[in-house]
Amino acid sequence: MDRINVPPAGPTDLPLALLEMGCSGRFELITHPSSDQPLPPQSTLPHGLPPTSLSLEREVEKQFLRDAAWLPIHDTDFAFQKFLKVTQREVNVDSLINCTPSALHSGISVVRDPTTGMLLDFTEVLLENTGLSAKNSLSLQRQPGPPSESLRGSNTNYPFRPGGMEELTLDQIKKKSDLEEDIDFENDLLRVPPGLKAGMDFTDKDAKIAKAEVNLMSLLSTLDDITDLQPVAEEKEEGKENEDAPKLPRTNSLEDLGVKDVVSSSTPSERGKDEKSKPKENPEENKKWAIPVNINSPCDDFYKRIPNPAFKWPFELDVFQKQAVLRLEARDSVFVAAHTSAGKTVVAEYAIALSQQHMTRTIYTSPIKALSNQKFRDFKTTFGDVGLLTGDVQLSPESSCLIMTTEILRSMLYNGSEVIRDLEWVIFDEVHYINDAERGVVWEEVLIMLPDHVSIILLSATVPNAVEFSEWIGRIKKKHIYVISTMKRPVPLEHYLYTGNSTKTQKEMFLLLDPTGNFLTKGYYAAVDAKKERTSKHAQSFGAKSTSHSTTASQDRSVWLTLLHFLSQRQQTPVVAFTFSRTRCDDNARSLDSMDMTTSIEKAEIHSFFQKSLSRLRGGDRQLPQILVMRDLLKRGIAVHHSGILPILKEVIEMLFSRGLVKVLFATETFAMGVNMPARTVVFDSIRKHDGTGFRNLLPGEYIQMAGRAGRRGLDATGTVIILCKAGVHDMADLHVMMLGKPTTLQSQFRLTYTMILNLLRVEALRVTDMMRRSFSENHRDTQAQEKRISQLKQVVSSLPALDTEGQLSDMLPYYHTVTELRTTTEALQCAILESVNGLKALSVGRVVLVNNKQHLNALGVILQVSSAAVNRTFTALVICEKGNEEEEGKANNNNALPHLYNTALFIPEGPCSHTVQKLKLQDISAITVKTLKVIPDRIIDNYSKRQQPRFRLDPPGQAISTATQELLRLAEANPSSMATLDPVNDFQLKSVDVVEDSMRLRVLQASLREFNCIHSPTFAEQFARVEERMKVQEELDRLLFLVSDQSLSLLPEYHQRIKVLQSLQYVDSGGAVQLKGRVACQISCHELLLTELLFENVLSPLAPEESAALLSCLVFTQKTQVEPHITSTLQEGINRVLSVAKRIGELQRECGIPQTAEEFVGQFKFGLTEVVYCWARGMPFAEIAQLTDVQEGTVVRCIQRLDEVLKEVRQAARIVGDSVLGSKMEKASLAIRRDIVFTASLYTH
């Protein structure tokens, strides 16, 4: 049909238009007189009429010239002036003021008929919390953020409220501080005005009668209850009489009593419930959060309690697995500690199945990326709906089960990721990694930050303090953690010593530890003899050669050849040989060039698998020396596994090993950390390893973890562990400790990092001190018990009688403080004297001393015996006393007032002088005099102890005692005012600063005591006792208040130092608000200060993308290298600038008090790989790069992969600063290094 050209509407034409009504084909004629709306709608359909052929000119004009959005209004350049003339737009300033519409504060709710469910009406309901968003609230009620941020969150989001950190309740907000108080004019009125002795009694006499009536009533009603409720009363241990007695005081008011009784008599069943739950509520204060589960009791009713489990296994579960599954069904958190291969994964699988059933999500975290990849493959085959998030890979993140490294979960929690809303379980695998000094803190942060609705599953190797650790988690999360710990091994282990090194001696294997855990010394000595036999002939003729730890390569080779020959004869392969050095692994594998352990069928299988796996590599990469060497080894059934091996090769080896095609695997310790890849036999090349600082023996935990790889469940009856004795047999004590010692306890590695501080400062509601207080390192703080004790002590203080500090007693408190200081100073001096040689010499038999204790006041005594104990040394002494005061229980002076401190007059008996022989503590000897007496100690002690027996009680004292007593009395009468004493500084020659200061202080204090007035008061002793009682309580209260406060946190000083660093660098302002620099540092996970400073000082701007990548490699490369890199001059400048910035930060930290020196801080950054990364980013093939450095290929690959993560972080940071040029440069750098073998996808994820 031809197009009809209608002439444009003229002034004479009527303003009419056709409007199509819906889809029915009806039209209406409408007029539109408004001249400002030239084109009326042509249809009531939502999108208008279907387009007929449009004129392009008009469309372009409409879209580009008439449409305001296309042209800028402000800052218009000259080029736009013409357009503006064409379109004649008015500048509309108001359009700049944009306000997002506020959220609706009400919604519509449906009213239904409760019986039929029909709709009856709609009502408007007011919505609460409509203003909450991820930028201002920690609540789960806040509205979700944009979908792009739902997975990783954003660093401007608030995290969700961590579980166990309660919001302030209304009561707490209303609660008055100590200084505010409401006066209640009805109750608790003061009866005695301040300063007066007596007061008034305001109690209402009539009220008592009224109360009694109520009590009668309630008594009757309680009796009624009891008649109603006999079974319940009988259930309770106490009879009816006890039942009603304590009922009454429970209420606070009469109404409570009345209401309770009405309720209780009307609903007996509820009452019964209350009664049953009461005993549970009372021990609330000291309740245990960790509940150990007894795994010895069988779970017979398991299938009755879980008739249709969420997941079924082809095998029968062990008891500990059943117990764990029962706990998961009850939504409880569990801590499962069991040996490797005991089947902890069952617990994780059940949790994932449960969450799929509940339509929630599970996060499975593991410490190592390789482990995450393997778990991804395992769970993917089991469940299907599984995603993976690691630093460089993101696969199906919308799945119900996400596998990730712990660091990623930490950043999701800090950034308020939406995934957390749907989270039901978080499974922490290999929790004993919390002991890792570098990364352990991440686990603690994640555990503290997890919200309340998330249940926690912790899987760990056996650890001795599982209950203590779970108690900590339970306490910070306020939930019970069930601890399920099993020591049972599904496949028991036998540990042997192997001394063979030739065909003749190849059977020399000696059992050292049998499967039941008995250490067989017989086997040990047999091994020693076997070893000795070989060296003896040589030693006899040439004298013994000292056994060294090291052996030559040829000796090693013969040992390995002999052992492997022997094992393959006995069909004990596959073997994992743990060797604690990468070069040693490679050398051992290479030295076995004559061994071939595979059949031709296996060779074919290995070859095809190897080729298929490497088919995704580029041609050149397939010819890498490491790959060629490994291919030859693998064909013969031998392989090597350590961090220097290329990741893709490692995966090929793991897969071939799990298929049983690798017969001997030389591995380092990391292999034991990871996946469940058990072998038939485990061999230890040595039991010493280098841990970064020096060589040491393996710890029991490490040994158990590695030895646990022996024994495949369902295939082997026992696993074999062999320790090679190459140079000589290891020390028996070392072996015993290593095999049977306690595994390492879980210890807190919590430390403050700048990222953590900045992330918490960003959010007003979270405080860093809260994080520190909840860390495992502060686990010893039992705040709940302390708070309870504080409230008790406060009550005690308020109930103590008021102190009388009038008149003479006005200086009582200063006197008490002086006396206390005097006491502590004296004790310190006495300790110093006792620890010194001269002091101990002086306190020997015959020395006259001054005795003060409950029984004696300034009495002279003579030492008869000194105990040999180093701590709490006691002195047996003869002391003079009044007749009748010989017994210790005799009238003890009420001696709390310590009169000897100001009254130095010696004790002279008023009546006849008597004596007593006592064991004195150091505190009882208040001074050592210059005098000594000649005494016969044995006679005195024997005579005295004889006269303590009833039949000799009236005998006169022996000659030796009488002489000594007379001598002491003579001394006392000769110096009645005081005796000359030995001075610690001059006489004992104690010249240390503390002692000199203390003895000077002591003189000052003793002199000042005589000037106090209170000691002359007649009621002094009684009042002093009161002061002392009150002050003791007060001191304990102050101590507890300090312990509960933030001031006692062990990391608090370091926190203040780090805040000081952040303030000087302007990351936070003086009020603690995070500034732009701080926001950037939040984005960065490692070396955040250095990277942020480099960004803000534009160090990266002058560099090309590949140069900046090379420069940043210093943040991820940690090893030493011998090769000097050859680099461009701009790069060298960049390195110098990085070092100067690092030095500046290091010095600033030192000034602020952080113990790390500037050299140590700068020393973290190693530039060994700059050349390698530079060439890689410029496109050099990997084979050539490997030639540039002595660093192993696997390490290079891992560094470049981690560098990619750093580049991503810098790109994010550049966006925040608004530096788009740097952002795109980082993107280019990232693209340049993401290629070929370094970024080949993991075999596990395909």
Side-chain angles (χ1 to χ4, degrees):
M1 184 181 143
D2 295 339
R3 183 169 172 193
I4 306 168
N5 282 327
V6 181
T12 54
D13 290 332
L14 286 171
L16 292 178
L18 278 181
L19 173 67
E20 181 191 20
M21 303 297 288
C23 311
S24 56
R26 280 179 50 229
F27 286 90
E28 267 187 25
L29 201 64
I30 51 169
T31 61
H32 50 98
S34 55
S35 56
D36 55 0
Q37 184 194 1
L39 292 170
Q42 295 182 317
S43 164
T44 58
L45 290 174
H47 300 297
L49 287 172
T52 51
S53 55
L54 302 166
S55 102
L56 285 177
E57 260 172 62
R58 182 155 329 148
E59 283 299 309
V60 170
E61 186 180 312
K62 186 173 127 197
Q63 196 169 351
F64 293 104
L65 294 180
R66 297 257 171 84
D67 187 2
W70 272 88
L71 298 173
I73 322 172
H74 312 279
D75 310 329
T76 46
D77 293 316
F78 173 71
F80 282 119
Q81 297 300 328
K82 300 186 216 163
F83 285 123
L84 291 179
K85 278 184 192 128
V86 172
T87 52
Q88 285 153 3
R89 278 186 56 202
E90 302 85 54
V91 176
N92 180 5
V93 181
D94 294 351
S95 68
L96 290 176
I97 305 166
N98 179 24
C99 181
T100 50
S102 59
L104 292 174
H105 59 282
S106 64
I108 287 191
S109 154
V110 175
V111 184
R112 292 180 185 275
D113 184 307
T115 49
T116 61
M118 275 188 56
L119 286 180
L120 299 178
D121 194 5
F122 293 99
T123 57
E124 186 176 14
V125 282
L126 287 178
L127 300 176
E128 286 181 7
N129 302 339
T130 50
L132 301 185
S133 74
K135 307 288 184 246
N136 63 14
S137 158
L138 302 172
S139 161
L140 283 162
Q141 308 292 321
R142 71 194 196 194
Q143 56 188 28
S148 59
E149 290 175 4
S150 67
L151 182 65
R152 298 279 172 116
S154 140
N155 76 331
T156 53
N157 283 357
Y158 276 26
F160 291 108
R161 180 175 303 287
M165 290 196 188
E166 304 81 5
E167 297 188 54
L168 284 177
T169 58
L170 199 58
D171 305 339
Q172 283 170 308
I173 295 167
K174 284 183 182 166
K175 201 169 77 179
K176 303 258 185 293
S177 68
D178 300 341
L179 301 173
E180 298 177 275
E181 57 174 86
D182 282 338
I183 297 177
D184 180 353
F185 289 101
E186 301 296 326
N187 313 319
D188 303 331
L189 290 175
L190 296 176
R191 310 225 175 112
V192 183
L196 294 190
K197 290 277 189 296
M200 299 237 342
D201 181 8
F202 293 116
T203 47
D204 189 351
K205 300 291 183 294
D206 306 335
K208 281 183 184 164
I209 305 163
K211 231 175 197 166
E213 279 171 17
V214 170
N215 282 359
L216 249 178
M217 283 302 298
S218 56
L219 260 175
L220 287 173
S221 58
T222 16
L223 286 171
D224 289 0
D225 294 349
I226 289 169
T227 47
D228 285 351
L229 275 179
Q230 267 156 348
V232 173
E234 281 159 24
E235 271 172 42
K236 297 188 66 190
E237 297 79 37
E238 312 92 322
K240 294 177 195 175
E241 298 82 36
N242 310 25
E243 166 92 12
D244 51 35
K247 259 286 189 306
L248 310 174
R250 261 196 209 143
T251 58
N252 301 332
S253 66
L254 313 184
E255 290 91 274
D256 284 5
L257 260 179
V259 169
K260 266 194 187 159
D261 292 328
V262 173
V263 170
S264 55
S265 40
S266 59
T267 54
S269 60
E270 277 179 30
R271 178 69 173 285
K273 273 188 221 155
D274 287 355
E275 292 298 352
K276 283 190 192 115
S277 63
K278 278 243 161 71
K280 284 181 196 154
E281 287 161 12
N282 295 347
E284 174 80 33
E285 292 82 24
N286 49 6
K287 77 165 157 198
K288 286 268 175 272
W289 294 107
I291 304 172
V293 175
N294 177 15
I295 57 156
N296 298 327
S297 59
C299 253
D300 299 330
D301 56 349
F302 179 72
Y303 295 103
K304 217 180 291 171
R305 287 168 69 178
I306 306 179
N308 45 356
F311 191 78
K312 294 187 178 67
W313 288 270
F315 50 86
E316 177 67 19
L317 296 184
D318 292 345
V319 177
F320 88 91
Q321 293 168 330
K322 288 182 178 173
Q323 295 277 17
V325 167
L326 285 172
R327 297 272 55 108
L328 296 189
E329 279 283 353
R331 313 276 181 286
D332 289 321
S333 297
V334 291
F335 182 113
V336 182
H339 288 298
T340 328
S341 79
K344 295 188 290 261
T345 316
V346 163
V347 186
E349 288 176 334
Y350 198 80
I352 296 170
L354 262 181
S355 81
Q356 291 194 342
Q357 207 178 54
H358 300 158
M359 305 282 193
T360 54
R361 300 178 97 167
T362 304
I363 285 180
Y364 183 103
T365 73
S366 71
I368 305 171
K369 204 160 91 179
L371 195 56
S372 300
N373 289 342
Q374 281 157 341
K375 279 293 180 225
F376 173 72
R377 185 195 56 176
D378 298 351
F379 287 159
K380 187 87 177 161
T381 47
T382 317
F383 297 106
D385 187 19
V386 179
L388 176 69
L389 291 180
T390 55
D392 53 353
V393 184
Q394 183 167 316
L395 296 172
S396 51
E398 67 293 334
S399 310
S400 70
C401 169
L402 288 176
I403 295 172
M404 58 182 73
T405 46
T406 325
E407 275 80 356
I408 289 182
L409 178 55
R410 171 176 66 172
S411 82
M412 281 168 64
L413 284 166
Y414 277 138
N415 293 345
S417 155
E418 299 296 332
V419 173
I420 309 294
R421 287 179 192 269
D422 314 332
L423 201 51
E424 183 174 12
W425 303 104
V426 173
I427 304 164
F428 294 94
D429 200 2
E430 312 279 351
V431 174
H432 46 268
Y433 223 90
I434 201 164
N435 283 347
D436 184 79
E438 189 58 35
R439 294 171 58 205
V441 59
V442 181
W443 272 258
E444 288 193 48
E445 281 181 77
V446 169
L447 284 166
I448 294 169
M449 291 295 296
L450 278 176
D452 212 19
H453 65 278
V454 183
S455 301
I456 301 167
I457 298 173
L458 303 135
L459 309 177
S460 152
T462 48
V463 284
N465 60 340
V467 175
E468 180 202 355
F469 183 72
S470 310
E471 178 69 26
W472 163 67
I473 295 176
R475 210 180 62 239
I476 59 169
K477 301 320 272 180
K478 305 253 192 306
K479 25 169 108 152
H480 289 300
I481 310 273
Y482 288 84
V483 184
I484 299 170
S485 191
T486 172
M487 297 304 284
K488 192 177 135 268
R489 279 191 181 280
V491 182
L493 299 181
E494 294 175 335
H495 304 254
Y496 293 91
L497 289 174
Y498 187 79
T499 58
N501 64 357
S502 65
T503 0
K504 200 169 74 187
T505 57
Q506 72 170 5
K507 293 206 170 66
E508 285 185 9
M509 214 162 90
F510 304 97
L511 184 62
L512 186 62
L513 190 71
D514 64 11
T516 50
N518 302 321
F519 192 83
L520 311 173
T521 46
K522 197 174 79 194
Y524 179 79
Y525 290 120
V528 174
D529 293 344
K531 200 79 179 147
K532 208 181 272 171
E533 227 166 77
R534 227 163 305 152
T535 51
S536 56
K537 291 194 184 69
H538 177 86
Q540 281 155 7
S541 44
F542 302 111
K545 211 171 57 173
S546 64
T547 54
S548 66
H549 271 301
S550 58
T551 48
T552 63
S554 60
Q555 282 172 323
D556 265 11
R557 177 167 182 260
S558 59
V559 172
W560 278 112
L561 283 168
T562 312
L563 173 68
L564 293 174
H565 193 69
F566 174 60
L567 289 177
S568 55
Q569 267 178 354
R570 290 181 47 180
Q571 293 179 340
Q572 294 251 293
T573 56
V575 180
V576 176
F578 282 112
T579 315
F580 302 113
S581 118
R582 288 182 304 224
T583 43
R584 196 79 151 292
C585 276
D586 297 338
D587 296 347
N588 284 344
R590 256 184 237 119
S591 68
L592 301 179
D593 45 15
S594 59
M595 285 218 72
D596 190 348
M597 307 179 77
T598 50
T599 61
S600 53
I601 298 173
E602 288 173 333
K603 280 189 172 58
E605 201 178 328
I606 291 170
H607 180 79
S608 68
F609 183 80
F610 196 81
Q611 294 307 94
K612 197 174 91 200
S613 302
L614 297 187
S615 61
R616 58 177 63 172
L617 291 184
R618 289 231 329 245
D621 287 342
R622 285 183 219 166
Q623 301 305 312
L624 286 174
Q626 196 183 62
I627 291 182
L628 299 176
V629 169
M630 198 60 76
R631 190 177 67 194
D632 298 341
L633 283 175
L634 278 170
K635 292 228 176 100
R636 302 202 312 276
I638 301 166
V640 183
H641 186 289
H642 56 68
S643 60
I645 303 287
L646 292 163
I648 189 161
L649 262 187
K650 270 206 287 205
E651 292 179 346
V652 169
I653 289 163
E654 284 161 12
M655 288 175 168
L656 287 171
F657 183 81
S658 55
R659 290 187 188 186
L661 295 170
V662 170
K663 306 298 181 189
V664 183
L665 178 63
F666 290 97
T668 50
E669 198 181 351
T670 43
F671 183 75
M673 196 49 232
V675 197
N676 193 358
M677 290 216 171
R680 181 81 190 265
T681 309
V682 163
V683 180
F684 285 91
D685 174 76
S686 136
I687 61 165
R688 294 177 67 72
K689 68 172 241 187
H690 191 278
D691 61 355
T693 46
F695 281 98
R696 60 167 171 79
N697 283 347
L698 289 181
L699 299 171
E702 297 170 327
Y703 178 79
I704 290 167
Q705 176 91 16
M706 286 185 262
R709 293 281 163 224
R712 296 163 300 174
R713 197 171 186 166
L715 291 173
D716 308 325
T718 58
T720 312
V721 181
I722 298 175
I723 296 173
L724 294 188
C725 306
K726 292 193 291 197
V729 185
H730 306 282
D731 188 38
M732 176 146 78
D734 289 350
L735 289 170
H736 191 273
V737 166
M738 183 178 78
M739 293 175 165
L740 295 170
K742 271 222 166 125
T744 327
T745 50
L746 295 177
Q747 284 161 336
S748 175
Q749 301 294 340
F750 187 80
R751 57 197 166 86
L752 291 169
T753 58
Y754 291 113
T755 318
M756 180 203 304
I757 294 175
L758 289 166
N759 267 313
L760 292 170
L761 285 178
R762 247 179 5 141
V763 182
E764 291 114 64
L766 299 177
R767 305 213 319 283
V768 184
T769 45
D770 284 340
M771 183 72 113
M772 293 176 346
R773 193 183 298 112
R774 284 174 166 71
S775 77
F776 188 36
S777 56
E778 297 288 346
N779 185 33
H780 54 271
R781 300 160 69 96
D782 187 0
T783 321
Q784 221 171 7
Q786 286 167 344
E787 301 263 355
K788 193 176 157 199
R789 181 86 184 109
I790 286 173
S791 59
Q792 286 172 353
L793 289 173
K794 281 185 175 162
Q795 284 174 346
V796 172
V797 169
S798 57
S799 66
L800 286 176
L803 297 180
D804 185 3
T805 51
E806 297 298 305
Q808 247 181 340
L809 295 171
S810 57
D811 52 4
M812 183 64 116
L813 280 174
Y815 174 77
Y816 172 80
H817 292 310
T818 313
V819 168
T820 317
E821 191 178 349
L822 195 81
R823 215 187 278 172
T824 48
T825 314
T826 318
E827 273 173 26
L829 273 177
Q830 282 176 330
C831 288
I833 290 172
L834 254 196
E835 283 164 10
S836 71
V837 184
N838 295 344
L840 276 179
K841 269 191 201 150
L843 279 170
S844 53
V845 176
R847 171 70 63 191
V848 178
V849 291
L850 200 57
V851 179
N852 275 297
N853 57 14
K854 281 268 165 64
Q855 190 182 349
H856 305 285
L857 168 62
N858 289 345
L860 287 181
V862 60
I863 293 181
L864 305 174
Q865 248 184 10
V866 182
S867 73
S868 55
V871 280
N872 299 336
R873 205 181 279 274
T874 56
F875 306 92
T876 311
L878 172 84
V879 189
I880 55 173
C881 61
E882 286 281 4
K883 189 142 187 71
N885 190 21
E886 294 92 351
E887 300 300 321
E888 286 194 49
E889 293 83 51
K891 78 171 209 338
N893 295 337
N894 183 1
N895 218 352
N896 287 353
L898 313 168
H900 66 273
L901 291 177
Y902 52 86
N903 178 7
T904 52
L906 291 190
F907 162 78
I908 300 172
E910 293 167 8
C913 175
S914 179
H915 61 268
T916 169
V917 173
Q918 279 181 348
K919 277 205 163 110
L920 299 177
K921 293 195 185 69
L922 184 64
Q923 292 86 308
D924 302 337
I925 301 177
S926 53
I928 305 171
T929 66
V930 289
K931 298 273 190 275
T932 51
L933 297 182
K934 280 214 166 43
V935 286
I936 312 165
D938 300 347
R939 275 198 204 166
I940 294 180
I941 291 171
D942 293 346
N943 180 283
Y944 184 77
S945 51
K946 179 178 128 188
R947 285 185 305 115
Q948 289 307 301
Q949 298 168 17
R951 46 189 254 226
F952 301 119
R953 180 148 287 175
L954 298 172
D955 288 14
Q959 176 63 39
I961 290 196
S962 309
T963 321
T965 314
Q966 290 309 316
E967 283 290 304
L968 288 173
L969 188 59
R970 202 174 51 71
L971 277 174
E973 285 167 344
N975 313 303
S977 57
S978 67
M979 286 263 308
T981 57
L982 292 172
D983 179 69
V985 180
N986 301 331
D987 300 320
F988 294 137
Q989 301 299 315
L990 299 178
K991 302 290 190 202
S992 75
V993 179
D994 298 343
V995 176
V996 176
E997 277 181 0
D998 280 351
S999 61
M1000 284 162 66
R1001 183 99 192 96
L1002 200 63
R1003 285 195 208 108
V1004 175
L1005 288 168
Q1006 280 169 336
S1008 70
L1009 275 185
R1010 303 198 184 94
E1011 291 157 16
F1012 282 100
N1013 292 325
C1014 57
I1015 51 181
H1016 307 304
S1017 161
T1019 58
F1020 168 68
E1022 173 198 344
Q1023 288 296 335
F1024 186 81
R1026 278 190 186 180
V1027 170
E1028 189 167 39
E1029 183 187 10
R1030 175 177 281 262
M1031 294 311 280
K1032 274 206 176 112
V1033 176
Q1034 190 61 48
E1035 277 159 20
E1036 190 186 352
L1037 186 61
D1038 292 344
R1039 187 181 64 82
L1040 284 174
L1041 284 169
F1042 170 72
L1043 284 178
V1044 173
S1045 73
D1046 289 344
Q1047 302 309 311
S1048 63
L1049 289 168
S1050 53
L1051 287 171
L1052 195 71
E1054 192 198 337
Y1055 168 56
H1056 290 315
Q1057 290 159 0
R1058 287 188 181 257
I1059 285 286
K1060 216 153 131 201
V1061 173
L1062 290 172
Q1063 283 176 349
S1064 353
L1065 290 172
Q1066 292 168 347
Y1067 285 58
V1068 295
D1069 65 10
S1070 52
V1074 180
Q1075 303 299 308
L1076 177 64
K1077 273 173 120 176
R1079 290 252 314 282
V1080 169
C1082 281
Q1083 274 295 319
I1084 297 165
S1085 54
C1086 66
H1087 302 305
E1088 50 283 346
L1089 289 192
L1090 182 75
L1091 250 182
T1092 314
E1093 290 301 303
L1094 295 181
L1095 261 179
F1096 276 86
E1097 294 194 8
N1098 274 346
V1099 174
L1100 299 173
S1101 298
L1103 302 177
E1106 51 271 25
E1107 286 173 331
S1108 46
L1111 188 61
L1112 292 176
S1113 69
C1114 71
L1115 302 173
V1116 289
F1117 179 60
T1118 49
Q1119 293 183 350
K1120 294 187 184 69
T1121 160
Q1122 260 53 58
V1123 182
E1124 263 307 304
H1126 305 289
I1127 43 183
T1128 61
S1129 55
T1130 44
L1131 245 182
Q1132 190 56 55
E1133 270 171 41
I1135 290 179
N1136 297 341
R1137 283 191 71 182
V1138 170
L1139 289 173
S1140 72
V1141 170
K1143 188 157 179 274
R1144 201 186 76 226
I1145 297 173
E1147 282 164 358
L1148 175 67
Q1149 289 196 24
R1150 197 93 188 91
E1151 280 163 29
C1152 293
I1154 290 176
Q1156 191 183 30
T1157 63
E1159 288 72 33
E1160 283 169 1
F1161 183 77
V1162 175
Q1164 302 175 78
F1165 308 109
K1166 301 192 166 62
F1167 294 92
L1169 278 190
T1170 38
E1171 181 188 10
V1172 174
V1173 175
Y1174 180 64
C1175 295
W1176 176 250
R1178 294 184 62 184
M1180 189 186 273
F1182 196 80
E1184 291 175 36
I1185 278 181
Q1187 309 298 308
L1188 293 175
T1189 176
D1190 56 352
V1191 181
Q1192 283 180 305
E1193 291 91 326
T1195 314
V1196 172
V1197 168
R1198 222 178 50 248
C1199 277
I1200 296 179
Q1201 287 174 343
R1202 288 187 51 206
L1203 176 64
D1204 184 50
E1205 293 173 33
V1206 172
L1207 292 175
K1208 275 187 196 156
E1209 286 174 351
V1210 176
R1211 194 171 81 215
Q1212 288 281 316
R1215 281 195 187 140
I1216 295 177
V1217 185
D1219 186 347
S1220 54
V1221 179
L1222 182 62
S1224 56
K1225 188 185 290 182
M1226 289 299 129
E1227 203 151 350
K1228 277 183 200 143
S1230 191
L1231 285 172
I1233 61 172
R1234 287 185 72 92
R1235 61 186 176 85
D1236 299 0
I1237 191 163
V1238 177
F1239 282 87
T1240 316
S1242 159
L1243 297 177
Y1244 287 114
T1245 57
H1246 279 264

